[in-house]
Amino acid sequence: MASFDIIILGGGPAGYVCAIRAAQLGLSVAVVEKDKLGGVCVNIGCIPTKALLHSASSINLIAHQAKDLGIEVGAVKTDYGVAMQRSRKVSEQNSKGVEFLMKKNKVTVIKGTGTLLPGKKVKVGTDVHEAKKAVVIATGSRVKGIPQIGLDINKTTVISSDEALFLEAAPKSMIVVGAGAVGSEFADIFNAFGTKVTLVEALPRILPIEDAESSDALAKSFKKRGIAVLAGAKVLKATVGKDSVTLEIEAGGEKKSITADTVLMAAGRAVNTEAMGFKEAGVQLTDHGFVKVNLATLETTAPGIYCIGDVAGPPMLAHKGSREGAVVAERIAGLKPHPIRYDNIPSVTYCHPEVASIGLTEEQCKEKKLDYQVGRFPFSANGRARASNETEGFVKIIRDKKYGEILGAHIVSGHASEIIHELAVARENEYTVEEIDLAIHAHPTLSEAIAEAALDSMGRVIHT
Ligand code: NAI
């Protein structure tokens, strides 16, 4: 029986970051991983989709803007298979990078499926390993269909992101069910590669967890590019054929049928908690199926067993999992880490334009009956955005009227994912909108729109 200070189940962004931080603190660490290191994010999630989205935005740029930018090109031809192969290479590089980091930090990687045994033990195959200090569950999540309405993932006509990432060619037509981050990103990708895309969302607007103004801006942009957006649309029934799928949909009190070659399921993910001995080891689940975790300590209901990442509860985001990984490693090592601010985790959907946010939406401010003021700045009035021909979108900052605290911030723009962090730092340090403006912003930059929105929330905007 091998023994380690910490055994981590799962080598995704939560698990591998936990391993590195624990190793930095002098603990002996083993990561149990049945597949490639890097988890969903690196292999079949965040990273390959970003590679495909880069292809998609390049296609849109070349097809629609080349002439204006002084570039002459012939008819634009696209090849999803080539873009897919490039995205695979990017994923492989990242997964190899994680392998290298494990070696560099002297983390033992155990290949196989780990099962929890009572008493902080983990069984992999016939070997039993013992954790002296703690076991950390970081087993992540997986795609899911909606079998109740006949939408089971059959990997041919009804696919998930797992299959979409390996297609050799873009389908002629596709219905994307669910307009969260996954659905919106794939709608964007396949539209650019010439697929006739219909995006179906049950709630009244796409990206329903974002501020309504962000959802509306994205829906407008999608529609302009030919994506059919059906929000407030309930899928009643699916008829799955060999070469096509027909969905019966009810939207605005009316029923209609839509047919496509392929349906891409993007209606949420299921967490991986089954058949790993959790129950027997005393690890309880919540009513929603996540592992029950004390958020102050990240400990489960079984002493000495911790849980991080998607399986520990929403938001299912790589960066949330990584932060939990680092924090739990420090806690197990006996440090007192800075508590995680779950209300200050940036959310980004990387379609075009990108949608990024942090903190409360305006709808949430209303629900909470907060006394707030909204500041806005459109990128159409920003010099850098004009120079780059990317004037879609805006910055919206919601500030507390009395204290100037930044309650929430929402950005829709080509580079929203990169500029949201100014607001994350500001909120982490409880800076006010005044302090955002006091920090001089370089000109011309997209970030100036943040300073301008901050000024606007105080009624002092300069450039609109
Ligand atoms: P999600 O839960 O974010 O969105 C699923 C959407 O499907 C919801 O808007 C829901 O209302 C809708 N839906 C559910 N059932 C439906 C039905 N029968 N008909 C029509 N619409 C239906 O799930 P998603 O997009 O699959 O992502 C899973 C997780 O992974 C999320 O937590 C997400 O934040 C995370 N993720 C994050 C990314 C990012 O940060 N860029 C990228 C991809 C995923």
Side-chain angles (χ1 to χ4, degrees):
M1 177 159 69
S3 130
F4 302 89
D5 289 325
I6 303 186
I7 302 176
I8 301 161
L9 286 184
Y16 84 71
V17 170
C18 178
I20 294 171
R21 185 70 190 114
Q24 284 174 346
L25 293 166
L27 302 180
S28 62
V29 188
V31 170
V32 183
E33 172 56 62
K34 63 179 162 63
D35 209 328
K36 286 186 184 158
L37 286 171
V40 168
C41 170
V42 165
N43 297 293
I44 45 168
C46 327
I47 299 297
T49 49
K50 268 41 332 143
L52 290 169
L53 281 159
H54 181 67
S55 289
S57 69
S58 304
I59 292 168
N60 288 329
L61 181 75
I62 293 165
H64 305 301
Q65 294 192 28
K67 211 167 166 205
D68 284 349
L69 300 177
I71 308 164
E72 268 196 39
V73 285
V76 176
K77 277 198 200 154
T78 63
D79 187 334
Y80 187 79
V82 173
M84 182 275 284
Q85 290 299 346
R86 191 186 79 87
S87 78
R88 295 321 313 155
K89 281 193 197 126
V90 176
S91 275
E92 277 157 31
Q93 279 170 352
N94 272 47
S95 182
K96 290 230 162 67
V98 179
E99 260 175 50
F100 162 78
L101 291 173
M102 295 296 97
K103 283 197 187 109
K104 182 184 158 204
N105 288 283
K106 299 191 174 49
V107 172
T108 302
V109 177
I110 303 170
K111 283 275 162 205
T113 302
T115 308
L116 267 186
L117 299 178
K120 289 190 277 180
K121 291 193 181 74
V122 173
K123 192 170 174 213
V124 186
T126 51
D127 298 335
V128 175
H129 307 276
E130 184 190 37
K132 284 180 274 185
K133 289 184 182 287
V135 174
V136 179
I137 297 170
T139 49
S141 65
R142 61 179 187 275
V143 295
K144 67 168 186 191
I146 321 177
Q148 311 86 284
I149 50 168
L151 278 174
D152 222 345
I153 294 163
N154 63 14
K155 303 191 181 194
T156 55
T157 45
V158 183
I159 63 170
S160 69
S161 54
D162 289 5
E163 290 76 41
L165 287 167
F166 291 87
L167 291 179
E168 289 291 346
K172 282 207 167 58
S173 56
M174 175 183 275
I175 301 167
V176 179
V177 176
V182 173
S184 299
E185 291 183 6
F186 276 101
D188 187 304
I189 291 168
F190 284 107
N191 166 261
F193 280 93
T195 303
K196 184 175 172 282
V197 177
T198 306
L199 181 59
V200 177
E201 168 57 52
L203 292 174
R205 54 191 172 81
I206 63 169
L207 291 185
I209 63 163
E210 297 294 346
D211 191 277
E213 284 180 50
S214 298
S215 299
D216 292 349
L218 184 65
K220 209 166 128 196
S221 177
F222 273 0
K223 286 176 190 165
K224 215 164 76 186
R225 270 180 282 154
I227 298 175
V229 176
L230 299 182
K234 202 170 160 208
V235 183
L236 302 175
K237 205 177 109 207
T239 310
V240 180
K242 233 176 83 195
D243 304 310
S244 68
V245 182
T246 298
L247 300 187
E248 202 178 297
I249 285 176
E250 188 181 335
E254 278 180 33
K255 281 188 190 167
K256 65 171 170 176
S257 286
I258 44 173
T259 301
D261 301 353
T262 312
V263 166
L264 191 150
M265 293 306 301
R269 296 178 63 87
V271 288
N272 298 324
T273 54
E274 301 91 349
M276 289 181 284
F278 288 4
K279 195 173 166 204
E280 295 77 4
V283 174
Q284 292 172 13
L285 305 185
T286 67
D287 294 343
H288 291 103
F290 296 99
V291 169
K292 202 181 264 183
V293 177
N294 174 350
L295 284 185
T297 61
L298 296 170
E299 203 164 9
T300 68
T301 47
I305 301 187
Y306 294 78
C307 184
I308 56 177
D310 285 6
V311 67
M316 288 189 189
L317 299 170
H319 44 285
K320 172 259 192 189
S322 297
R323 175 50 61 96
E324 287 180 334
V327 163
V328 87
E330 292 179 6
R331 186 169 290 283
I332 294 165
L335 304 182
K336 286 207 176 93
H338 185 72
I340 298 173
R341 285 259 321 257
Y342 284 97
D343 63 346
N344 202 35
I345 299 174
S347 156
V348 179
T349 304
Y350 298 81
C351 47
H352 295 92
E354 295 180 344
V355 177
S357 65
I358 195 150
L360 300 176
T361 62
E362 190 171 354
E363 295 73 36
Q364 287 167 331
C365 290
K366 277 189 187 136
E367 269 165 36
K368 288 176 184 284
K369 299 196 171 28
L370 299 176
D371 195 13
Y372 66 89
Q373 185 91 35
V374 174
R376 290 184 186 82
F377 195 81
F379 281 102
S380 57
N382 172 278
R384 182 69 187 277
R386 281 183 188 151
S388 311
N389 226 8
E390 279 195 302
T391 51
E392 260 183 323
F394 55 83
V395 176
K396 169 174 176 177
I397 295 181
I398 309 169
R399 77 163 174 104
D400 173 83
K401 236 182 195 168
K402 192 163 173 201
Y403 299 109
E405 180 194 348
I406 301 156
L407 298 171
H410 305 272
I411 306 178
V412 177
S413 98
H415 303 273
S417 60
E418 299 297 341
I419 62 174
I420 189 73
H421 299 102
E422 172 174 358
L423 291 148
V425 173
R427 278 172 46 85
E428 194 65 36
N429 292 285
E430 298 182 358
Y431 297 151
T432 61
V433 279
E434 286 86 346
E435 284 162 316
I436 292 263
D437 171 57
L438 285 176
I440 298 172
H441 288 63
H443 177 73
T445 57
L446 299 180
S447 297
E448 284 175 294
I450 293 177
E452 289 272 21
L455 282 175
D456 189 50
S457 74
M458 299 179 282
R460 294 164 38 202
V461 67
I462 304 281
H463 286 95
T464 54

